């Protein structure tokens, strides 16, 4: 994109310089010719004024008119009936001459070497060419700066849209100073907030519906179990048939929930936790340092989780953001291999979470103080969307623990990639 903008701008500058520079050079060349001839005619008029004061046939006072003759030039006075008189001598066969009528049918002719005019023409033409080159160079600099200023924000907005489509709903507070692109960024931030709320509501709705259906199915199963022991054979048969249908309904519910989880985790792939969490740490470290705090990263190599990279980065970023806003001291991101999952912990050394908020820390709208962002509820929804689990494992000092599914052997092609190695 940057190259296309640069090439297009340079093409326009080059065409403009060619269209204007060529005629300008030609016009300048002609103007020097006209000015030189006009100067010769002006000198002739001055000489003519002096010669008019002389009686006819009188010799020319060379000293009086020598100053009007150009250096290396020659003045020829040709009057009928008198000898031709000359002042000066030409040193070149290539001359530029102008004549004026003089006396009764006579003429005076002033000549100079044409090389003088050609030298002036070349000098002026070179100046014009230098100005054209300077304009092209200035255009190239402006094109480069403009291409960089436009391409960078456009690529940033495109990357922001791609991350949004991948499930990264973080807002981007940075703006580029270009009203149109800033408007697009505002719309993307609004869409990110709307999608985050949608994901949150969808997750809560699925969880609520699943819980309610399971509770009702369990209650119905218990009642049918009681009916299956009824002394009436026909009642027992109907109860057993209904119990069988209830079990099938429970299986269908499990399949639907599993299909929904699989659809949400469609972008899951093997991810090197060291590499992914390093990106999160690099992103949040400047904000913590600006607040006078530190961030530590303790992630061993070789931990491969099957997750959606954008989601796990967003979830861990939300936890670090929560520690930045509501915690204190050093923030630590660590990872290790657990019994049945990979464990990622985000903790700080602050005062911790108030006791009354511990049971509701993941509820929507719950916060110690007014804040912006996605919140812990969305972080949990994103982790659970990939089949993981997010819990508050300790309130003081606060420690949030993420349990992630490990990548299976058939998910990994070739040896595990070390963090920082080329892809």
């Amino acid at each position: 994109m940057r190259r296309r903008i640069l090439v297009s701008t340079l093409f326009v500058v080059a065409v403009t310089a060619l269209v204007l520079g060529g005629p300008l050079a030609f016009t300048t060349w002609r103007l020097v010719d006209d000015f030189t001839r006009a100067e010769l005619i002006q000198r002739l008029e001055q000489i003519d004024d002096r010669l008019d004061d002389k009686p006819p046939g009188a010799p020319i006072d060379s000293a009086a008119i020598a100053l009007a003759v150009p250096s290396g030039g020659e003045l020829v006075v040709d009057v009928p009936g008198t000898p031709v008189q000359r002042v000066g001598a030409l040193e070149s066969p290539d001359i530029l001459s102008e004549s004026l009528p003089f006396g009764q049918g006579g003429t005076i002719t002033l000549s100079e070497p044409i090389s003088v005019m050609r030298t002036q023409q070349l000098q002026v033409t070179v100046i014009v060419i230098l100005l054209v080159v300077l304009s092209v160079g200035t255009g190239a600099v402006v094109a480069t700066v403009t291409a960089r200023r436009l391409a960078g924000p456009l690529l940033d907005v495109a990357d922001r849209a791609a991350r949004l489509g991948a499930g990264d709903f973080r807002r981007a507070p940075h703006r580029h100073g270009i009203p149109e692109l800033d408007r697009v960024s505002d719309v993307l931030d609004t869409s990110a907030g709307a999608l985050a709320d949608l994901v949150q509501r969808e997750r809560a709705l699925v969880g609520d519906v699943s819980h309610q259906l399971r509770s009702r199915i369990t209650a119905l199963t218990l009642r049918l179990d009681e009916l299956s022991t009824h002394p009436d054979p026909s009642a027992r048969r109907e109860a057993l048939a209904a119990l069988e249908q209830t079990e099938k309904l429970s299986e269908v519910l499990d399949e639907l929930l599993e299909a929904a989880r699989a659809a949400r985790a469609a972008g899951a792939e093997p991810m090197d936790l060291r590499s992914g969490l390093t990106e999160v740490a690099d992103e949040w470290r400047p904000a913590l340092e600006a607040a006078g705090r530190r961030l530590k990263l303790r992630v061993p190599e070789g931990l491969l989780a099957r997750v959606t990279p954008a989601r796990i980065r967003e979830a861990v970023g939300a936890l670090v953001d929560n520690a930045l806003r509501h915690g204190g001291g050093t923030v630590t991101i660590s990872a290790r291999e657990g019994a049945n999952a990979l464990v990622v912990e985000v903790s700080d050394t602050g005062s911790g979470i108030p006791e009354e908020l511990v049971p509701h820390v993941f509820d929507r709208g719950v916060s110690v103080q007014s804040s912006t962002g996605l919140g812990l509820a969305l972080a949990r929804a994103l982790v659970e969307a990939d089949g993981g689990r997010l819990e508050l494992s300790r309130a003081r000092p606060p420690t949030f623990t993420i349990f992630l599914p490990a990548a299976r052997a058939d998910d990994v092609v070739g040896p595990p990639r070390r963090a920082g190695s080329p892809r």
Side-chain angles (χ1 to χ4, degrees), residues 225-259:
D225 278 337
E226 292 180 2
L227 286 176
S228 65
T229 60
H230 196 277
D232 186 356
S234 61
R236 285 199 304 272
R237 285 196 301 272
E238 293 298 328
L240 290 174
L243 187 60
E244 182 179 357
Q245 293 299 321
T246 303
E247 291 176 352
K248 290 182 179 180
L249 179 61
S250 180
E251 293 175 359
V252 169
L253 177 60
D254 291 338
E255 291 176 358
L256 290 175
L257 293 176
E258 182 61 30

Side-chain angles (χ1 to χ4, degrees), residues 44-54 61 63-68 102:
L44 283 173
E45 290 174 348
Q46 294 173 356
I47 295 172
D48 182 61
D49 291 340
R50 290 181 177 274
L51 293 179
D52 282 341
D53 298 335
K54 300 290 182 182
D61 185 1
I65 62 174
L67 295 177
F102 174 71

Side-chain angles (χ1 to χ4, degrees), residues 302-317:
L303 296 182
L304 292 177
R306 182 170 178 78
V307 293
T308 304
R311 286 175 178 168
I312 188 61
R313 286 195 295 266
E314 163 65 13
V316 176

Side-chain angles (χ1 to χ4, degrees), residues 17-300:
L18 181 63
V19 170
L20 295 180
L24 181 60
F26 176 77
T27 302
T28 305
W29 185 278
R30 295 294 302 171
L31 282 175
V32 172
D33 183 278
D34 294 341
F35 288 155
T36 304
R37 293 181 182 275
E39 183 181 0
L40 288 178
I41 293 176
Q42 184 180 7
R43 289 173 180 267
L44 283 173
E45 290 174 348
Q46 294 173 356
I47 295 172
D48 182 61
D49 291 340
R50 290 181 177 274
L51 293 179
D52 282 341
D53 298 335
K54 300 290 182 182
I60 298 174
D61 185 1
S62 300
I65 62 174
L67 295 177
V69 178
S71 177
E74 182 183 52
L75 174 67
V76 177
V77 180
D78 185 7
V79 179
T82 62
V84 176
Q85 302 181 67
R86 300 175 183 272
V87 176
L90 288 171
E91 300 175 356
S92 172
D94 297 325
I95 61 173
L96 178 67
S97 300
E98 290 294 335
S99 300
L100 279 180
F102 174 71
Q104 299 296 323
T107 60
I108 54 175
T109 303
L110 184 62
S111 305
E112 70 174 359
I114 199 172
S115 60
V116 176
M117 184 184 71
R118 292 286 183 258
T119 300
Q120 293 177 349
Q121 287 177 322
L122 289 174
Q123 290 174 346
V124 175
T125 303
V126 168
I127 292 175
V128 171
I129 294 175
L130 289 177
L131 290 176
V132 171
V133 172
L134 179 62
S135 65
V136 172
T138 303
V141 173
V142 172
T144 303
V145 174
T146 303
R148 183 181 295 110
R149 189 165 184 265
L150 287 178
L154 284 172
L155 292 175
D156 184 65
V157 170
D159 180 66
R160 175 77 181 92
R163 288 189 288 111
L164 180 61
D168 187 347
F169 303 133
R170 285 172 294 177
R171 295 179 179 270
H174 176 66
R175 293 296 180 265
H176 310 286
I178 302 175
E180 293 78 6
L181 292 180
D182 289 346
R183 174 60 180 162
V184 174
S185 297
D186 292 338
V187 172
L188 288 176
D189 280 349
T190 303
S191 300
L195 288 174
D197 293 338
L198 180 63
V199 169
Q200 205 169 347
R201 288 195 300 269
E202 177 199 5
R203 188 66 186 172
L205 177 62
V206 171
D208 293 343
V209 170
S210 173
H211 175 73
Q212 293 296 328
L213 286 177
R214 290 186 185 279
S215 298
R216 299 298 181 268
I217 291 175
T218 300
L220 181 59
T221 302
L222 292 175
R223 290 181 177 272
L224 291 176
D225 278 337
E226 292 180 2
L227 286 176
S228 65
T229 60
H230 196 277
D232 186 356
S234 61
R236 285 199 304 272
R237 285 196 301 272
E238 293 298 328
L240 290 174
L243 187 60
E244 182 179 357
Q245 293 299 321
T246 303
E247 291 176 352
K248 290 182 179 180
L249 179 61
S250 180
E251 293 175 359
V252 169
L253 177 60
D254 291 338
E255 291 176 358
L256 290 175
L257 293 176
E258 182 61 30
R261 282 193 294 268
R264 287 194 298 269
E269 60 185 43
M271 171 185 169
D272 185 350
L273 286 181
R274 182 182 178 88
S275 176
L277 296 180
T278 298
E279 293 182 14
V280 178
D282 292 342
E283 178 181 356
W284 286 96
R285 186 172 282 112
L288 285 164
E289 290 178 350
R293 298 169 60 183
R294 297 174 57 198
L295 188 147
K296 292 183 178 180
L297 183 67
R298 298 173 179 171
V299 182

Side-chain angles (χ1 to χ4, degrees), residues 16 49 55 61 81-82 131 137-138 140 148 194 235 239 246 292 324-325 327 331-332 334 348 358 391:
T16 304
D49 291 340
D61 185 1
T82 62
L131 290 176
T138 303
R148 183 181 295 110
T246 303
L324 173 62
R325 294 176 182 274
V331 178
T332 302
S334 61
D348 62 78
V358 171
E391 296 179 353

